[in-house]
């Protein structure tokens, strides 16, 4: 007796289950290799393959991407703690100037990438902003950038930083990061769930009321940061499983948006992006030398503090190499906040400049049709 065809709902459920299994397997494999943001990259890769190889790619439920963005916003917000930022102490002004220098360096390399024929200026800027890769990917589409290019180039930047870090520490500083684990915060997972749900919902609503750009990310992030600085969320963290799910959903959302043409376009961008990433890392090392000279801090501390990407990998390297991990974390968190809060302003400025240039372009010569 021939088998009856499965109803559409059953096919969709099996499709989603297969995709979720693939994302979980790739996440576990990348995590075992110590690569950064494994769930985000696993979702991106699985979604890309699903979009290109399956006749009817999976459509994510409405609101899934928004929920993932809110969880990522809360996760970033909980990193902002008074004790961490207080570690800057008397060095806050040089650190702030170096952070702004990193932003200027990112904009310079992003402007060069924006001259590529497959990249517009807004996408170029977002792709090479040094800090908050997951947050920038979330904001990219909402602020007019191509989130596919941004996701691939941002992950490539973090990957280059993390893979080159042990070599730089060994060759330039004569130290070896032994991969020491970073001590986590013992907190109730239920408190973390309540924080994620409360800040996610209330923060998004407040962000929309305040007309914040990328309100689904920035609203929860700012609310969680305010609670953390005020002590109301001290020691509370988003559960790791929920954070992993959020990153996977964001990766899937980006990956499912690929087409063969857009994949070819991203592939053409990668050589130029890689060269500019290396330029940005070298520029950040120069800023680290300036920060060391201005503050008298060891160059190892300032190099790790200004390394453009891979927050947890850099923090683990600081612990393992004997650097001042508290100072490194404080500078990294400050840069993360500056980059994410500056990104919407920069996107609007770049988009406005591009629009003005287009309006000011004279019509082509020839008869009017």
């Amino acid at each position: 007796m021939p088998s009856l065809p499965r109803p559409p709902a059953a096919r969709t459920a099996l499709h989603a289950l297969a995709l979720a299994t693939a994302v979980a397997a790739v996440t576990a494999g990348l995590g075992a290799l110590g690569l950064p943001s494994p769930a985000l990259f696993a979702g991106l890769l699985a979604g890309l393959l699903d979009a290109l190889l399956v006749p009817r790619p999976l459509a994510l439920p409405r609101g899934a991407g928004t929920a993932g963005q809110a969880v990522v916003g809360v996760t970033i917000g909980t990193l902002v703690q008074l004790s961490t930022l207080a570690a800057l102490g008397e060095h806050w002004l040089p650190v702030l100037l170096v952070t702004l220098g990193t932003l200027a360096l990112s904009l310079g390399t992003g402007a060069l990438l924006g001259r590529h024929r497959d990249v517009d200026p807004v996408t170029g800027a977002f792709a090479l902003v040094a800090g908050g890769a997951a947050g920038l990917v979330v904001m990219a589409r909402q602020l007019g950038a191509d989130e596919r290019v941004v996701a691939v180039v941002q992950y490539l930047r973090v990957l280059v930083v993390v893979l080159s870090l042990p070599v730089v520490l060994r060759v330039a500083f004569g130290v070896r990061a032994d991969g020491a684990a970073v001590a986590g915060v013992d907190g109730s997972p239920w408190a973390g769930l309540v924080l994620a749900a409360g800040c996610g919902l209330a923060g998004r609503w407040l962000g929309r009321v305040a007309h914040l750009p990328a309100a689904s990310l920035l609203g929860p992030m700012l609310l969680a940061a305010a609670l953390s600085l005020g002590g109301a969320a001290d020691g509370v963290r988003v559960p790791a499983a929920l954070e992993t799910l959020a990153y996977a959903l964001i990766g899937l959302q980006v990956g499912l948006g690929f087409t063969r043409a857009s994949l070819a376009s991203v592939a053409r961008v990668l050589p130029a992006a890689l060269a500019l990433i290396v330029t940005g890392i070298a520029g950040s090392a120069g800023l680290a030398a300036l920060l060391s000279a201005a503050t008298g801090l060891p160059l190892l501390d300032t190099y790790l503090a200004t390394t453009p990407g891979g927050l947890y990998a850099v923090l683990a390297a600081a612990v393992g190499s004997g650097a001042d991990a508290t100072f490194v974390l404080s500078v990294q968190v400050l840069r993360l906040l500056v980059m994410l809060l500056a990104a919407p302003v920069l996107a609007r400025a770049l988009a406005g400049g591009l629009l003005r240039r287009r309006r000011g372009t004279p019509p082509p010569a020839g008869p009017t049709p």
Side-chain angles (χ1 to χ4, degrees):
M1 181 178 179
S3 58
L4 296 176
R6 294 190 180 96
R11 289 199 301 270
T12 301
L14 288 174
H15 189 174
L17 179 61
L19 200 56
T21 303
V23 171
V26 176
T27 300
L30 295 177
L33 293 174
L35 296 180
S37 307
L40 178 63
F41 186 71
L44 174 64
L45 182 60
L48 186 151
L49 293 176
D50 194 70
L52 298 183
L53 302 179
V54 178
R56 292 184 179 180
L58 183 71
L60 288 179
R62 293 185 62 184
T66 301
Q69 295 167 22
V71 171
V72 170
V74 177
T75 300
I76 295 172
T78 56
L79 293 174
V80 184
Q81 299 179 25
L82 192 59
S83 59
T84 300
L85 297 180
L88 297 176
E90 61 183 7
H91 305 310
W92 68 268
L93 182 57
V95 168
L96 180 59
L97 292 176
V98 165
T99 301
L100 295 176
T102 305
L103 177 60
L105 180 64
S106 299
L107 290 178
T109 54
L112 291 175
L113 185 62
R115 298 178 68 86
H116 193 284
R117 65 187 180 92
D118 293 301
V119 182
D120 61 83
V122 180
T123 300
F126 268 76
L128 288 174
V129 167
L136 291 165
V137 172
V138 167
M139 291 193 292
R141 175 191 290 182
Q142 301 175 44
L143 297 176
D146 187 336
E147 62 181 352
R148 298 164 298 193
V149 175
V150 172
V152 172
V153 176
Q154 282 285 344
Y155 193 86
L156 179 62
R157 173 182 59 83
V158 175
L159 196 60
V160 170
V161 169
V162 171
L163 294 179
S164 64
L165 191 58
V167 178
V168 173
L169 293 181
R170 185 65 175 169
V171 173
F173 298 99
V175 298
R176 180 178 296 170
D178 59 6
V182 181
V185 178
D186 295 327
S188 167
W190 295 109
L193 286 172
V194 171
L195 179 71
C199 288
L201 294 172
R204 182 169 180 263
W205 179 77
L206 290 172
R208 295 178 68 179
V209 169
H211 301 289
L212 282 178
S216 300
L217 175 85
L218 292 183
M221 183 189 82
L222 293 175
L223 181 56
L227 292 176
S228 183
L229 288 173
D234 189 26
V236 181
R237 294 292 180 271
V238 176
L242 182 59
E243 186 179 341
T244 299
L245 177 61
Y247 283 129
L249 285 173
I250 292 170
L252 275 172
Q253 187 177 47
V254 176
L256 288 169
F258 270 93
T259 62
R260 295 184 186 276
S262 62
L263 181 61
S265 175
V266 171
R268 289 193 296 268
V269 172
L270 288 183
L274 182 58
L276 291 170
I277 286 169
V278 174
T279 301
I281 294 173
S284 296
L287 291 173
L290 292 176
L291 182 59
S292 177
T295 60
L297 294 170
L299 183 58
L300 174 62
D301 293 359
T302 59
Y303 177 79
L304 290 172
T306 56
T307 298
L311 172 62
Y312 292 108
V314 170
L315 190 56
V319 173
S321 62
D324 187 345
T326 304
F327 176 77
V328 171
L329 177 63
S330 63
V331 178
Q332 290 277 350
V333 169
L334 177 63
R335 190 189 68 214
L336 182 85
L337 282 177
V338 169
M339 298 299 175
L340 290 179
L341 293 176
V345 179
L346 296 173
R348 287 180 174 177
L350 289 169
L354 181 62
L355 183 59
R356 285 192 297 272
R357 285 197 299 272
R358 286 176 176 171
R359 286 176 175 172
T361 302
T368 303

